Amino acid sequence: MSAIKDGLRFKTAFTTTAWVLIPVAIGINLIGRFFTQTLNLPLFLDTIGTTMAAFLAGPWVAAVAGVLTNLVIGLTLEATSIPFGIVNAAIGIVAGVMAAYGFLRSTGKIIVMMLCLTAITIITAMPLVVLVFEGVSGSGVDAVTGFFAASGRNMVESVLGQQLLTTPGDKVLTVLLAFALIKGVPQRYRPPFGREVIPF
Amino acid sequence: MASRARRVVPQTDQHGHTGVVETDTATWSPARVAELYEIGNTWLHRAHPLTKLAAVLPLSVAGFAGDTVLVPAIILAAAVLTLVVSRLGIIALKSLRLMAPMTFALVVIHGIVRPYDSEPLVAWGPISVNAGGLALAGTTAARIAVFVIAVTAAMATVHPKIFATALIQRGVSHKLAYAYLAGAELIPEMRLRATQILEAQQSRGFDTKGSLPRRLRTLFALLKPLLVSSLIGVEMRTLALESRGFSLPGRRTAAVAVRERGRLLQRSLLLASIPLLVLAVIW
């Protein structure tokens, strides 16, 4: 249990392993998006690395991984992703805290975690999409926003409708994949936090 | 990926200006080259990395002043003109290319799809173009474009390694700078590995174009080897870093020195954002 306590405490969470895990999480976030685009899947999976970091090293490490993912992508590939670092960090914090409190130990609790991650994504992303980007994101989901806008709904309702349709599936798969993939890694290769929150 | 394999070597000249030079590409790993970075020796390349980054804030805030396209369009035009005159037109092109899908979505949603009470500018069957919607789309696109061009110009003219060094010299934790730099370097490397895994799994018969459940199964088969190998690699990297004193306290000396300058300018640029923010809110 001490590894979980260390992972929850900001001062003790950042071990060398945690710092090494952060760039790996950044890479995985990017690869998730790359594979879904290659396979033409209606998903993003761009927070799978952050979620894995949350399950392996706790909320604070995942939050830093989330912010840095969007900073690195924003500063080296596409600048518009920078503001969404807040969303990525919030996902990392919620996933990490819930993992630490045993939400990966039963199917029912995992479903609750998926719902919470969906809710936090919508709550944090919606104001950014509406206020800064006037409802668009430059990706395929804009077609869904356009559909709601065409039916006479205002921009807040249109973006909310789009998020409610596209986010749950993405978050369900993100949690399932992160959980299944970590389970596939031998215990000895997982950081102590990860060994305790997924003890099988 | 191979076409981007340019070797960049950070150098500091006799005046203390930090820049990079291009050398032989044969032995340089493409994974080490940042995707956005453009080699050159223009005034923008020579400017201190943090001065360029500090300039992003007032420029972006100024873009939000006024409720018409005028202010952001003027800033955008000035930025594009400056980049073209400085022989950095490629950066302007990159920025505008990044903005293309978003601008298209803005025009379609606000200018064409969204219903308005006012008379349409052009009506063609069920499709009508609204002037107010187009103006909103144009203003939003121009505002975002100002931010995109400012960030792209700042970051495309500094090698990530020099940027990380500049951050450390200003007191940012070397661990945080490591995470940023390693993340930036890992992106092309992971992409390369992802492509290799994709091709390997395709050769083993995994379906990338079948039904949704099939493609989801393929996704798992693609992600598993990449993630498992990455996590196993974490242990090796941790040991390598620990053996090099990563967690030891104290200041680090960098292999590449970035001359300390422009502090006053950087502070002035950040301070200038405050009145601009007030102006943007009240105007």
Side-chain angles (χ1 to χ4, degrees):
Chain A
M1 278 303 173
S2 67
I4 291 182
K5 276 184 186 169
D6 286 348
L8 283 173
R9 225 177 290 137
F10 192 84
K11 264 193 166 180
T12 49
F14 291 91
T15 58
T16 304
T17 306
W19 283 112
V20 174
L21 197 64
I22 290 170
V24 172
I26 295 171
I28 293 170
N29 279 338
L30 198 87
I31 293 312
R33 188 88 189 254
F34 171 75
F35 279 147
T36 52
Q37 282 171 348
T38 308
L39 296 171
N40 282 324
L41 290 168
L43 302 160
F44 292 114
L45 293 189
D46 52 357
T47 55
I48 189 166
T50 308
T51 312
M52 285 182 78
F55 295 169
L56 289 170
W60 304 119
V61 175
V64 171
V67 170
L68 277 182
T69 294
N70 287 63
L71 261 184
V72 167
I73 293 173
L75 296 179
T76 60
L77 291 171
E78 51 177 272
T80 46
S81 77
I82 293 174
F84 293 97
I86 299 165
V87 183
N88 218 333
I91 289 168
I93 291 172
V94 172
V97 170
M98 292 187 88
Y101 283 98
F103 275 80
L104 289 173
R105 286 167 191 252
S106 72
T107 312
K109 285 180 174 177
I110 290 178
I111 292 169
V112 173
M113 181 192 268
M114 288 166 179
L115 290 173
C116 288
L117 287 182
T118 303
I120 198 72
T121 305
I122 294 172
I123 291 165
T124 49
M126 229 184 73
L128 279 173
V129 176
V130 174
L131 296 173
V132 182
F133 297 99
E134 287 291 345
V136 305
S137 63
S139 66
V141 295
D142 289 339
V144 183
T145 312
F147 170 77
F148 282 111
S151 65
R153 301 192 186 278
N154 64 37
M155 217 15 87
V156 174
E157 290 169 346
S158 301
V159 173
L160 181 65
Q162 173 260 308
Q163 297 259 353
L164 285 172
L165 276 180
T166 58
T167 311
D170 188 56
K171 292 299 159 251
V172 165
L173 209 67
T174 296
V175 173
L176 281 180
L177 277 172
F179 181 72
L181 290 166
I182 290 172
K183 260 186 77 180
V185 176
Q187 280 264 20
R188 66 170 291 258
Y189 288 112
R190 297 183 207 159
F193 184 92
R195 280 200 287 265
E196 286 189 13
V197 298
I198 308 176
F200 31 81
Chain B
M1 206 51 86
S3 64
R4 299 195 67 83
R6 300 163 302 181
R7 184 176 183 181
V8 286
V9 180
Q11 283 194 344
T12 308
D13 65 16
Q14 70 270 31
H15 306 295
H17 295 143
T18 308
V20 288
V21 292
E22 191 172 1
T23 62
D24 175 42
T25 62
T27 55
W28 189 259
S29 157
R32 294 280 160 191
V33 181
E35 301 223 346
L36 191 70
Y37 178 61
E38 286 294 330
I39 295 166
N41 195 26
T42 64
W43 64 273
L44 209 51
H45 283 85
R46 290 190 297 270
H48 193 281
L50 300 185
T51 307
K52 289 184 271 190
L53 199 64
V56 171
L57 192 63
L59 274 174
S60 308
V61 172
F64 279 83
D67 54 1
T68 65
V69 74
L70 189 69
V71 177
I74 289 171
I75 299 172
L76 189 62
V80 170
L81 198 68
T82 309
L83 287 172
V84 170
V85 168
S86 308
R87 294 184 176 189
L88 288 166
I90 185 81
I91 293 175
L93 265 178
K94 272 185 179 179
S95 310
L96 298 177
R97 201 177 60 197
L98 274 175
M99 277 304 299
M102 198 167 264
T103 308
F104 177 75
L106 280 165
V107 169
V108 170
I109 290 177
H110 293 286
I112 301 171
V113 166
R114 210 173 155 187
Y116 290 88
D117 293 333
S118 57
E119 275 294 303
L121 198 66
V122 185
W124 190 45
I127 299 167
S128 60
V129 179
N130 187 277
L134 274 186
L136 176 65
T139 308
T140 309
R143 283 171 175 169
I144 301 167
V146 168
F147 172 70
V148 169
I149 207 164
V151 173
T152 311
M155 298 313 295
T157 53
V158 59
H159 192 277
K161 209 164 266 186
I162 293 174
F163 179 65
T165 307
L167 289 176
I168 295 170
Q169 285 181 351
R170 280 296 159 83
V172 172
S173 153
H174 69 276
K175 292 175 179 175
L176 198 63
Y178 159 78
Y180 168 78
L181 192 57
E185 285 184 344
L186 213 68
I187 288 175
E189 196 179 301
M190 291 275 272
R191 273 190 173 181
L192 199 67
R193 277 168 65 191
T195 310
Q196 285 168 347
I197 290 170
L198 182 71
E199 285 168 358
Q201 299 292 51
Q202 275 176 324
S203 75
R204 290 183 192 111
F206 274 93
D207 195 356
T208 56
K209 289 185 175 73
S211 63
L212 189 66
R214 271 190 158 202
R215 279 179 286 150
L216 284 173
R217 267 200 296 277
T218 305
L219 177 72
F220 189 77
L222 291 172
L223 280 171
K224 196 175 179 186
L226 187 75
L227 302 193
V228 172
S229 65
S230 300
L231 289 178
I232 290 171
V234 165
E235 196 180 63
M236 274 165 55
R237 248 177 210 247
T238 305
L239 288 171
L241 281 177
E242 275 301 329
S243 68
R244 288 162 175 81
F246 182 74
S247 52
L248 289 176
R251 275 186 81 86
R252 263 64 180 166
T253 47
V256 186
V258 180
R259 206 181 107 193
E260 266 303 316
R261 62 203 153 89
R263 256 179 202 258
L264 185 67
L265 181 59
Q266 288 153 23
R267 280 184 192 152
S268 310
L269 284 166
L270 292 175
L271 280 173
S273 311
I274 299 167
L276 283 170
L277 186 67
V278 175
L279 193 72
V281 171
I282 59 171
W283 190 9

